[in-house]
Amino acid sequence: VKITGHASGSGVITVTAPNTSTDRTITLPDSTATIATTAQLPTVASTAPSSPAEGDQWFNSSASTVSGVLSKNLAVYDGTRWKVTSSNAVSATGGTVTSYSGYTVHTFTSSGNFVVAAGGEVDALIVAGGGAGGNWHAGGGGAGGMQTLATTATAQTYSIVVGAGGAGGTTSVGASGGTSSALGTSSVGGGRGGYYNTTPPAAGGSGGGGNGTTSAGNFNGAAGTSGQGNAGGVGNYSHSGGGGGGKGAVGANAANNAAAGAGGAGGTNDYRTGSNITYAGGGGGGGWSDSSAAAGGTGGGGNGSYNTNTNAPTAGAANTGGGGGGNGGQGNVTSYAAQTTGGSGIVVIKYRTA
């Protein structure tokens, strides 16, 4: 149908609406314009369009979730992934529930269940437990692996595992941190520090710092896990340990026999409160001759011990995934077991509700 308006006309079309006696009006613009083309309309299909451009729309006509989009939902491509445009109707319980700026947040500081009554898009932060600092001229513990993910949660019960911090050693090395997992994704526990001439540090989400020794294979920092953390620093040959790796940086190398390596810096995330919080810092290396502690990395890393067996290391902070500080003392300082322990992990899940 072609409609031509008079130059001096009002540009108003009157239409009798169905099932009512009330007329409806459509006002045309006073200029040439295209209301829409076929290419601008959403694609209706049971599979996601191939090679989408930013701004493309797709209605998932499938009876199941496809490409992270729930059944019978409209999504827009943001240049990276398809995001649902309709109101997010997630309803869930579990953990400590808080809210800010239109988001609901579930924080798990220990293992539990995330029970979803109505599904939708969620974002999650998953930080594993930090590794214990090493024992006897040893490096700091590596931070727990740290990851984020965006996914679609469906109506079911999800098991949430929060990894424990690695326990400090009493007669030899301590333990690596525990794995944290949520929504099908796992972060690796931080690697523990080593034990002077006999045991090298361990790999993990971030790796433990190297021992203060000349023993082959024992002074190098251990590897981190790609995308989750970084390697530990190298120990000095004369009793100063390397820093444990952190999410944001490799652990520092021990500069000399009186300067153990600092722990690697952690990484920031704002899911819990809307403001950045730092997690997953590496533990500082232990120093025998040091006059001050090698600092743990920002994000909960513990400080290393210093000044022979006089000044104890500090543990990784709880629910940060920070690595424990290394014991640079000589011999099995069993009373330092608690002080070299890594920090426990954390899981945070958020979704928009307003």
Side-chain angles (χ1 to χ4, degrees):
V1 177
K2 181 178 182 181
I3 301 173
T4 304
H6 192 275
S8 60
S10 64
V12 176
I13 303 172
T14 301
V15 180
T16 300
N19 303 318
T20 178
S21 60
T22 303
D23 289 342
R24 301 287 188 261
T25 61
I26 302 172
T27 302
L28 301 178
D30 192 21
S31 61
T32 301
T34 300
I35 296 174
T37 67
T38 302
Q40 293 170 316
L41 298 175
T43 298
V44 179
S46 59
T47 58
S50 60
S51 303
E54 186 174 338
D56 283 357
Q57 298 180 73
W58 162 52
F59 181 82
N60 177 19
S61 61
S62 171
S64 59
T65 298
V66 178
S67 298
V69 177
L70 294 173
S71 173
K72 314 305 181 187
N73 270 260
L74 181 66
V76 64
Y77 192 71
D78 67 0
T80 302
R81 65 187 181 101
W82 291 100
K83 297 186 69 174
V84 174
T85 60
S86 55
S87 176
N88 197 339
V90 175
S91 175
T93 58
T96 299
V97 182
T98 55
S99 63
Y100 68 88
S101 304
Y103 286 97
T104 295
V105 180
H106 297 252
T107 300
F108 293 84
T109 55
S110 60
S111 299
N113 289 324
F114 181 56
V115 183
V116 180
E121 293 183 347
V122 301
D123 296 299
L125 165 70
I126 305 171
V127 181
N135 200 355
W136 196 335
H137 302 326
M146 176 177 170
Q147 298 184 88
T148 59
L149 76 150
T151 189
T152 300
T154 58
Q156 60 176 291
T157 297
Y158 293 90
S159 175
I160 306 298
V161 177
V162 175
T170 56
T171 59
S172 181
V173 294
S176 293
T179 296
S180 290
S181 61
L183 306 171
T185 296
S186 296
S187 292
V188 179
R192 50 141 182 83
Y195 187 78
Y196 195 34
N197 287 329
T198 60
T199 309
S206 284
N211 302 336
T213 178
T214 57
S215 175
N218 290 325
F219 55 81
N220 288 321
T225 300
S226 177
Q228 299 189 29
N230 288 283
V234 177
N236 179 269
Y237 70 92
S238 185
H239 309 332
S240 290
K247 168 61 177 178
V250 172
N253 298 338
N256 54 56
N257 65 353
T268 59
N269 178 271
D270 66 358
Y271 289 179
R272 191 172 185 183
T273 64
S275 298
N276 275 330
I277 298 172
T278 307
Y279 304 91
W288 173 251
S289 301
D290 297 32
S291 59
S292 61
T298 54
N303 297 333
S305 74
Y306 66 100
N307 190 17
T308 62
N309 287 358
T310 305
N311 297 86
T314 58
N319 299 124
T320 65
N327 170 26
Q330 188 164 294
N332 290 311
V333 186
T334 57
S335 61
Y336 284 178
Q339 287 92 330
T340 56
T341 295
S344 54
I346 193 169
V347 171
V348 180
I349 301 172
K350 72 162 189 171
Y351 49 85
R352 183 169 286 281
T353 48

